[in-house]
Amino acid sequence: MCELLGMNANVPTDIVFSFTGLMQRGGRTGPHKDGWGVAFYEGRGVRLFQDPAPGCDSEVAQLVQRFPIKSEVVIAHVRQANVGQVCLANTHPFVRELWGRNWCFAHNGQLTAFTGRRDFYCPVGDTDSEAVFCDLLNRIRGAFADDAPVQLLLPLLLNACAEYRRQGVFNCLLSNGQWLFGFCSTKLARITRRAPFGPAHLKDVELEVDFHAQTTANDVVTVLATEALTDNEQWTLFQPGEWGLWAAGECIASGRLD
Amino acid sequence: MCELLGMNANVPTDIVFSFTGLMQRGGRTGPHKDGWGVAFYEGRGVRLFQDPAPGCDSEVAQLVQRFPIKSEVVIAHVRQANVGQVCLANTHPFVRELWGRNWCFAHNGQLTAFTGRRDFYCPVGDTDSEAVFCDLLNRIRGAFADDAPVQLLLPLLLNACAEYRRQGVFNCLLSNGQWLFGFCSTKLARITRRAPFGPAHLKDVELEVDFHAQTTANDVVTVLATEALTDNEQWTLFQPGEWGLWAAGECIASGRLD
C-alpha cells in the first residue's frame, strides 16, 4: 500500500510542512520505502520530482524540503510496492497531457490483475495504478470531444471509480491543475484550514508550524491525506465510497457511492 | 534562440560535466536566461528537471550538478525566449507519452506563426516549439497504428523536419529513450568519445575532467550541442539539413536533406 497527499488552495501555498511529514512515512515512521513523488502545478506547467529511493533519505526529497515551491494544487505519494518493480517508471504521481493540460494521478491500493483497454494512453511502467489512470483518461477522451468542464466529467469519473473499487482497493487523487478530485474506497482524510489559523504539529516528526504567521485572513487550504498528518487538529475521515472535488481550496462538489 | 545538449551512450553515463558547461550559457557566458530543462531517461522512466529561472543561478540546476544521475539518453536545453512568455509550461524539453514510452523533444530556433493541426496531442504552453512537437507526434500517431521501429519512422520524421525548416529555424533533438535523433537546420555540433579517453576542458567555465578515469575501454558516448562545449577536442559541425540517429552511443543512420 501507499500513502497519498493532496493539497488545493486559493493562493499559491507552500506544501513543505505536510510533505516533510509524508516523507517520514517513506521508510522511517511508515513502511513506504519504494519511492516517492510529488507534482506541483505552476500555472499550466507541472513540476514533477520523483525518486525510487526511500523518501526519508532521498536527496531529491531533501531539495524539495529546502525549496519552498508554492503551488495551488499538489499531489504527492509514497510507495510501498505491491504490483510492479521499484523503478522510476513505476513511481507516482503519473502525468499525461489531455486537452492541453497536465493531468496528474496518484493511487493508494491495489487492483489485482487490472487490465485497461489498450487505447490512446498506454502505461509506461507496469503498475496497476498507471494502467487505471490510462484507462480513466481513455474513457474521458472517448466520451468528450474536447475540453469539458469537470462538472460534466463527474458522472463518468464516478462510474469509473465505482468500477475500479469493485476490483480492489482504490483511493485516489486526480487533478488537471484547476481542481483536485479525491475518492475514498477504504482510507482517506481531509482538513480545510482557514482563518483563524493556528499552530499545527506533525505526527511523524518533531516539527510545528504556525500557519497564522504564513497566511492571510483570506487563505483557504484543503489537504487530503491517507492518514492525518498532524496530531493537534481535527481531520475528517472519508467514508468508503465518499468523494470530493475542490477548487480554490473549497469543496465544490461531494457525495458518496453506494 | 536557445542552446541544445543531447547525450547518448552505451552505458549509463554522467552528464554533469557537459551540463555544467551548458548552464553557464544560461545567463552567464550566454544570453539564454529564460529557463532551462534537462530530461534523463532512467529505464522507461524519465526524470525531468526544469526551471524558468536562469540556469546559472537556479537552485534546481545546482542540485542536478551535485547529483550525478547516470543515464543513457539525456536531452537538455537553455532558453532565450522569443515566442511565449517565461514560465514553466514554456520550458523545454517537452515530454509526451506515445505507445507506452516517454518521448522527449527540445528545439533551437523559431517557427514564426507555426500552427499545428489541433489533434490528439495539444500544447500546454504557448511556444512554437511545443506546438511543433505535438504536430510531429500527431503525424506519427496518425501514420502508424502501434509501436513502429525508428527505422520505419525515419521517412516521416525527415519529411516533417524538411517542412518545419521551410517555416523557420529548426534545430532539434528527439528521443523515446531508446535512440537519440538530431536535426540541424542552421547550427548543431557533435562529438563521439571512445577509448582512448583523455582530458576535456570546458569552454564556458574553468573545469576539466579526465574521462579516462571515469570510463571503461568499451564506453561510447556521443554528445550533440548547439556549439562545442569543450575547447581541447575536435567537434564536428553539422551542415544545414544534416541529421543523425544514435543508439548505444553509435550513429546508426545519418544523411542530409537538400
Side-chain angles (χ1 to χ4, degrees):
Chain A
M1 301 295 261
C2 310
E3 295 220 15
L4 299 172
L5 170 65
M7 190 273 286
N8 174 237
N10 65 345
V11 287
T13 298
D14 173 347
I15 189 78
V16 167
F17 176 72
S18 302
F19 182 74
T20 300
L22 185 75
M23 284 299 102
Q24 306 309 311
R25 297 182 186 171
R28 186 169 298 153
T29 59
H32 314 91
K33 60 173 178 29
D34 299 324
W36 62 274
V38 57
F40 300 88
Y41 284 93
E42 191 174 306
R44 297 175 71 95
V46 69
R47 284 182 192 272
L48 183 62
F49 294 99
Q50 292 179 312
D51 210 333
C56 66
D57 44 48
S58 156
E59 192 164 346
V60 185
Q62 285 164 26
L63 168 89
V64 176
Q65 286 168 65
R66 277 198 311 272
F67 188 52
I69 299 164
K70 292 194 172 193
S71 180
E72 288 165 37
V73 185
V74 175
I75 290 182
H77 184 269
V78 287
R79 178 165 186 240
Q80 185 183 10
N82 40 44
V83 178
Q85 56 171 321
V86 177
C87 67
L88 188 63
N90 287 344
T91 306
H92 306 226
F94 302 102
V95 178
R96 292 290 189 283
E97 175 257 310
L98 169 62
W99 300 326
R101 289 204 169 260
N102 289 301
W103 291 57
C104 178
F105 174 85
H107 168 220
N108 155 275
Q110 187 170 358
L111 278 73
T112 314
F114 178 83
T115 49
R117 294 160 289 192
R118 188 164 172 92
D119 200 342
F120 198 91
Y121 295 100
C122 293
V124 171
D126 49 14
T127 61
D128 51 343
S129 307
E130 192 191 14
V132 167
F133 178 41
C134 290
D135 183 74
L136 180 61
L137 292 185
N138 285 329
R139 289 173 189 226
I140 295 174
R141 187 174 277 279
F144 295 91
D146 209 341
D147 199 354
V150 64
Q151 289 78 359
L152 285 182
L153 299 180
L154 264 180
L156 183 153
L157 204 52
L158 295 173
N159 277 340
C161 288
E163 209 176 292
Y164 300 147
R165 84 158 163 153
R166 281 196 294 271
Q167 298 177 55
V169 174
F170 183 73
N171 304 293
C172 83
L173 299 176
L174 175 73
S175 179
N176 76 344
Q178 300 174 299
W179 43 259
L180 175 66
F181 173 81
F183 180 78
C184 172
S185 120
T186 57
K187 199 171 182 185
L188 195 61
R190 65 182 183 266
I191 190 167
T192 298
R193 299 186 181 117
R194 61 178 86 237
F197 290 95
H201 181 265
L202 283 181
K203 272 167 85 168
D204 296 83
V205 62
E206 196 50 53
L207 187 62
E208 188 169 280
V209 67
D210 181 7
F211 286 121
H212 179 71
Q214 299 192 358
T215 49
T216 75
N218 300 320
D219 295 7
V220 181
V221 182
T222 293
V223 176
L224 310 183
T226 298
E227 282 191 69
L229 288 162
T230 57
D231 55 15
N232 66 332
E233 297 178 297
Q234 193 60 48
W235 291 66
T236 304
L237 301 185
F238 283 77
Q239 299 302 306
E242 204 179 340
W243 60 272
L245 179 70
W246 286 263
E250 302 283 4
C251 186
I252 57 170
S254 63
R256 187 175 171 190
L257 303 182
D258 294 332
Chain B
M1 301 294 261
C2 309
E3 294 220 15
L4 298 173
L5 169 64
M7 191 274 285
N8 174 238
N10 64 346
V11 287
T13 298
D14 173 347
I15 190 78
V16 166
F17 176 73
S18 301
F19 182 74
T20 300
L22 184 75
M23 284 300 101
Q24 307 308 312
R25 297 182 185 172
R28 185 170 299 153
T29 60
H32 314 92
K33 58 172 179 34
D34 299 324
W36 62 275
V38 57
F40 300 88
Y41 283 94
E42 190 173 307
R44 296 175 71 95
V46 68
R47 282 180 194 273
L48 183 62
F49 294 99
Q50 292 180 311
D51 210 332
C56 68
D57 44 47
S58 156
E59 190 163 349
V60 185
Q62 285 163 28
L63 168 89
V64 175
Q65 286 168 66
R66 277 197 313 272
F67 188 50
I69 300 165
K70 293 195 171 192
S71 179
E72 288 163 38
V73 184
V74 175
I75 291 182
H77 184 271
V78 287
R79 177 164 188 242
Q80 186 183 10
N82 40 45
V83 178
Q85 57 171 319
V86 178
C87 66
L88 188 63
N90 286 344
T91 306
H92 306 226
F94 303 102
V95 178
R96 291 291 189 283
E97 175 257 310
L98 169 62
W99 299 327
R101 288 205 169 260
N102 289 302
W103 291 58
C104 177
F105 174 84
H107 169 221
N108 154 277
Q110 189 170 358
L111 277 74
T112 314
F114 177 84
T115 49
R117 293 161 289 191
R118 187 164 172 91
D119 201 342
F120 198 92
Y121 295 99
C122 292
V124 171
D126 50 13
T127 62
D128 52 343
S129 306
E130 192 191 13
V132 167
F133 178 41
C134 291
D135 183 74
L136 181 60
L137 293 185
N138 286 328
R139 289 173 190 226
I140 294 174
R141 187 174 276 280
F144 296 91
D146 208 341
D147 199 353
V150 65
Q151 288 78 359
L152 285 182
L153 300 180
L154 263 179
L156 183 153
L157 205 52
L158 296 172
N159 275 342
C161 287
E163 208 175 293
Y164 300 147
R165 83 158 164 154
R166 280 196 294 273
Q167 298 178 55
V169 175
F170 183 72
N171 304 293
C172 83
L173 299 176
L174 176 73
S175 179
N176 76 344
Q178 301 174 297
W179 42 260
L180 176 66
F181 173 81
F183 180 77
C184 173
S185 122
T186 56
K187 200 172 183 183
L188 195 61
R190 64 181 183 266
I191 190 168
T192 298
R193 298 185 181 118
R194 60 178 88 234
F197 290 95
H201 181 264
L202 284 181
K203 273 166 86 166
D204 296 83
V205 63
E206 197 49 54
L207 187 63
E208 190 170 278
V209 68
D210 181 6
F211 286 121
H212 179 70
Q214 300 192 355
T215 49
T216 74
N218 299 321
D219 294 9
V220 180
V221 182
T222 292
V223 177
L224 310 183
T226 298
E227 281 191 70
L229 288 162
T230 57
D231 55 15
N232 66 334
E233 299 178 296
Q234 193 60 49
W235 291 66
T236 305
L237 301 185
F238 284 76
Q239 299 302 307
E242 205 179 340
W243 59 272
L245 179 70
W246 285 264
E250 302 283 4
C251 187
I252 56 170
S254 64
R256 188 176 171 189
L257 303 182
D258 293 332

mmCIF file of all heavy atoms in Angstrom, chain B residues 14-34:
data_model
loop_
_atom_site.group_PDB
_atom_site.id
_atom_site.type_symbol
_atom_site.label_atom_id
_atom_site.label_comp_id
_atom_site.label_asym_id
_atom_site.label_seq_id
_atom_site.Cartn_x
_atom_site.Cartn_y
_atom_site.Cartn_z
ATOM 1 N N ASP B 14 27.330 9.821 -16.788
ATOM 2 C CA ASP B 14 27.138 11.046 -16.023
ATOM 3 C C ASP B 14 27.263 12.244 -16.982
ATOM 4 O O ASP B 14 28.264 12.386 -17.674
ATOM 5 C CB ASP B 14 28.245 11.023 -14.963
ATOM 6 C CG ASP B 14 28.356 12.285 -14.154
ATOM 7 O OD1 ASP B 14 27.764 13.296 -14.527
ATOM 8 O OD2 ASP B 14 29.070 12.223 -13.144
ATOM 9 N N ILE B 15 26.253 13.110 -17.002
ATOM 10 C CA ILE B 15 26.248 14.251 -17.929
ATOM 11 C C ILE B 15 26.663 15.546 -17.217
ATOM 12 O O ILE B 15 26.683 16.624 -17.807
ATOM 13 C CB ILE B 15 24.843 14.397 -18.577
ATOM 14 C CG1 ILE B 15 24.794 15.411 -19.733
ATOM 15 C CG2 ILE B 15 23.800 14.763 -17.543
ATOM 16 C CD1 ILE B 15 25.343 14.928 -21.011
ATOM 17 N N VAL B 16 27.033 15.438 -15.945
ATOM 18 C CA VAL B 16 27.260 16.642 -15.135
ATOM 19 C C VAL B 16 28.260 17.600 -15.779
ATOM 20 O O VAL B 16 28.034 18.812 -15.816
ATOM 21 C CB VAL B 16 27.725 16.264 -13.698
ATOM 22 C CG1 VAL B 16 28.280 17.466 -12.960
ATOM 23 C CG2 VAL B 16 26.560 15.672 -12.920
ATOM 24 N N PHE B 17 29.334 17.063 -16.353
ATOM 25 C CA PHE B 17 30.370 17.914 -16.945
ATOM 26 C C PHE B 17 29.787 18.786 -18.070
ATOM 27 O O PHE B 17 29.901 20.015 -18.036
ATOM 28 C CB PHE B 17 31.514 17.029 -17.460
ATOM 29 C CG PHE B 17 32.600 17.760 -18.183
ATOM 30 C CD1 PHE B 17 33.509 18.556 -17.489
ATOM 31 C CD2 PHE B 17 32.737 17.645 -19.559
ATOM 32 C CE1 PHE B 17 34.525 19.216 -18.159
ATOM 33 C CE2 PHE B 17 33.751 18.303 -20.233
ATOM 34 C CZ PHE B 17 34.638 19.098 -19.529
ATOM 35 N N SER B 18 29.123 18.147 -19.020
ATOM 36 C CA SER B 18 28.564 18.912 -20.146
ATOM 37 C C SER B 18 27.442 19.837 -19.680
ATOM 38 O O SER B 18 27.312 20.981 -20.143
ATOM 39 C CB SER B 18 28.019 17.962 -21.209
ATOM 40 O OG SER B 18 29.040 17.117 -21.672
ATOM 41 N N PHE B 19 26.631 19.341 -18.744
ATOM 42 C CA PHE B 19 25.510 20.133 -18.238
ATOM 43 C C PHE B 19 26.015 21.400 -17.541
ATOM 44 O O PHE B 19 25.435 22.478 -17.675
ATOM 45 C CB PHE B 19 24.699 19.265 -17.273
ATOM 46 C CG PHE B 19 23.482 19.935 -16.714
ATOM 47 C CD1 PHE B 19 22.353 20.126 -17.498
ATOM 48 C CD2 PHE B 19 23.450 20.381 -15.405
ATOM 49 C CE1 PHE B 19 21.229 20.739 -16.981
ATOM 50 C CE2 PHE B 19 22.331 20.998 -14.875
ATOM 51 C CZ PHE B 19 21.217 21.175 -15.671
ATOM 52 N N THR B 20 27.134 21.269 -16.809
ATOM 53 C CA THR B 20 27.725 22.419 -16.127
ATOM 54 C C THR B 20 28.136 23.487 -17.138
ATOM 55 O O THR B 20 27.906 24.682 -16.934
ATOM 56 C CB THR B 20 28.939 21.964 -15.285
ATOM 57 O OG1 THR B 20 28.475 21.007 -14.333
ATOM 58 C CG2 THR B 20 29.594 23.133 -14.557
ATOM 59 N N GLY B 21 28.713 23.041 -18.257
ATOM 60 C CA GLY B 21 29.076 23.987 -19.313
ATOM 61 C C GLY B 21 27.848 24.673 -19.888
ATOM 62 O O GLY B 21 27.807 25.897 -20.046
ATOM 63 N N LEU B 22 26.809 23.868 -20.168
ATOM 64 C CA LEU B 22 25.583 24.427 -20.751
ATOM 65 C C LEU B 22 24.945 25.456 -19.821
ATOM 66 O O LEU B 22 24.488 26.512 -20.273
ATOM 67 C CB LEU B 22 24.590 23.290 -21.020
ATOM 68 C CG LEU B 22 23.299 23.694 -21.723
ATOM 69 C CD1 LEU B 22 23.558 23.953 -23.207
ATOM 70 C CD2 LEU B 22 22.222 22.629 -21.572
ATOM 71 N N MET B 23 24.935 25.161 -18.519
ATOM 72 C CA MET B 23 24.273 26.054 -17.557
ATOM 73 C C MET B 23 24.944 27.431 -17.505
ATOM 74 O O MET B 23 24.303 28.427 -17.199
ATOM 75 C CB MET B 23 24.263 25.427 -16.152
ATOM 76 C CG MET B 23 23.242 24.330 -15.969
ATOM 77 S SD MET B 23 21.520 24.857 -16.240
ATOM 78 C CE MET B 23 21.250 24.219 -17.889
ATOM 79 N N GLN B 24 26.236 27.506 -17.793
ATOM 80 C CA GLN B 24 26.912 28.810 -17.818
ATOM 81 C C GLN B 24 26.324 29.695 -18.911
ATOM 82 O O GLN B 24 26.281 30.915 -18.778
ATOM 83 C CB GLN B 24 28.423 28.649 -18.073
ATOM 84 C CG GLN B 24 29.114 27.695 -17.123
ATOM 85 C CD GLN B 24 28.837 28.017 -15.669
ATOM 86 O OE1 GLN B 24 28.952 29.158 -15.260
ATOM 87 N NE2 GLN B 24 28.455 27.005 -14.907
ATOM 88 N N ARG B 25 25.906 29.044 -20.001
ATOM 89 C CA ARG B 25 25.315 29.818 -21.108
ATOM 90 C C ARG B 25 23.917 30.298 -20.745
ATOM 91 O O ARG B 25 23.335 31.110 -21.452
ATOM 92 C CB ARG B 25 25.297 28.961 -22.371
ATOM 93 C CG ARG B 25 26.712 28.601 -22.793
ATOM 94 C CD ARG B 25 26.754 27.797 -24.066
ATOM 95 N NE ARG B 25 28.137 27.392 -24.321
ATOM 96 C CZ ARG B 25 28.512 26.544 -25.263
ATOM 97 N NH1 ARG B 25 27.602 26.004 -26.055
ATOM 98 N NH2 ARG B 25 29.773 26.238 -25.412
ATOM 99 N N GLY B 26 23.375 29.740 -19.660
ATOM 100 C CA GLY B 26 22.063 30.162 -19.174
ATOM 101 C C GLY B 26 22.174 31.413 -18.335
ATOM 102 O O GLY B 26 21.859 31.418 -17.159
ATOM 103 N N GLY B 27 22.663 32.497 -18.933
ATOM 104 C CA GLY B 27 22.678 33.788 -18.232
ATOM 105 C C GLY B 27 24.056 34.305 -17.880
ATOM 106 O O GLY B 27 24.199 35.457 -17.518
ATOM 107 N N ARG B 28 25.123 33.463 -17.959
ATOM 108 C CA ARG B 28 26.453 33.961 -17.603
ATOM 109 C C ARG B 28 27.290 34.154 -18.867
ATOM 110 O O ARG B 28 27.479 35.279 -19.300
ATOM 111 C CB ARG B 28 27.138 33.019 -16.601
ATOM 112 C CG ARG B 28 28.477 33.556 -16.100
ATOM 113 C CD ARG B 28 29.014 32.734 -14.928
ATOM 114 N NE ARG B 28 28.105 32.753 -13.782
ATOM 115 C CZ ARG B 28 28.017 31.780 -12.872
ATOM 116 N NH1 ARG B 28 28.776 30.725 -12.967
ATOM 117 N NH2 ARG B 28 27.174 31.897 -11.869
ATOM 118 N N THR B 29 27.745 33.072 -19.514
ATOM 119 C CA THR B 29 28.537 33.239 -20.739
ATOM 120 C C THR B 29 27.643 33.309 -21.976
ATOM 121 O O THR B 29 28.112 33.533 -23.073
ATOM 122 C CB THR B 29 29.539 32.082 -20.909
ATOM 123 O OG1 THR B 29 28.810 30.851 -20.980
ATOM 124 C CG2 THR B 29 30.525 32.029 -19.757
ATOM 125 N N GLY B 30 26.362 33.076 -21.808
ATOM 126 C CA GLY B 30 25.433 33.170 -22.930
ATOM 127 C C GLY B 30 24.182 33.895 -22.487
ATOM 128 O O GLY B 30 23.966 34.093 -21.290
ATOM 129 N N PRO B 31 23.337 34.305 -23.431
ATOM 130 C CA PRO B 31 22.186 35.148 -23.101
ATOM 131 C C PRO B 31 20.929 34.338 -22.772
ATOM 132 O O PRO B 31 19.844 34.906 -22.690
ATOM 133 C CB PRO B 31 21.977 35.925 -24.404
ATOM 134 C CG PRO B 31 22.385 34.967 -25.469
ATOM 135 C CD PRO B 31 23.470 34.091 -24.886
ATOM 136 N N HIS B 32 21.058 33.033 -22.573
ATOM 137 C CA HIS B 32 19.877 32.159 -22.501
ATOM 138 C C HIS B 32 19.377 32.080 -21.071
ATOM 139 O O HIS B 32 19.481 31.071 -20.400
ATOM 140 C CB HIS B 32 20.220 30.782 -23.045
ATOM 141 C CG HIS B 32 20.973 30.857 -24.340
ATOM 142 N ND1 HIS B 32 22.335 30.869 -24.393
ATOM 143 C CD2 HIS B 32 20.532 30.984 -25.603
ATOM 144 C CE1 HIS B 32 22.712 30.991 -25.663
ATOM 145 N NE2 HIS B 32 21.637 31.060 -26.405
ATOM 146 N N LYS B 33 18.774 33.193 -20.631
ATOM 147 C CA LYS B 33 18.437 33.356 -19.221
ATOM 148 C C LYS B 33 16.979 33.016 -18.917
ATOM 149 O O LYS B 33 16.524 33.191 -17.791
ATOM 150 C CB LYS B 33 18.723 34.799 -18.802
ATOM 151 C CG LYS B 33 17.945 35.799 -19.641
ATOM 152 C CD LYS B 33 18.057 37.199 -19.150
ATOM 153 C CE LYS B 33 17.283 38.151 -20.052
ATOM 154 N NZ LYS B 33 16.036 37.590 -20.652
ATOM 155 N N ASP B 34 16.235 32.554 -19.921
ATOM 156 C CA ASP B 34 14.789 32.400 -19.754
ATOM 157 C C ASP B 34 14.382 30.967 -19.453
ATOM 158 O O ASP B 34 13.370 30.484 -19.945
ATOM 159 C CB ASP B 34 14.067 32.936 -20.991
ATOM 160 C CG ASP B 34 14.345 34.417 -21.195
ATOM 161 O OD1 ASP B 34 14.457 35.127 -20.186
ATOM 162 O OD2 ASP B 34 14.465 34.840 -22.351
#
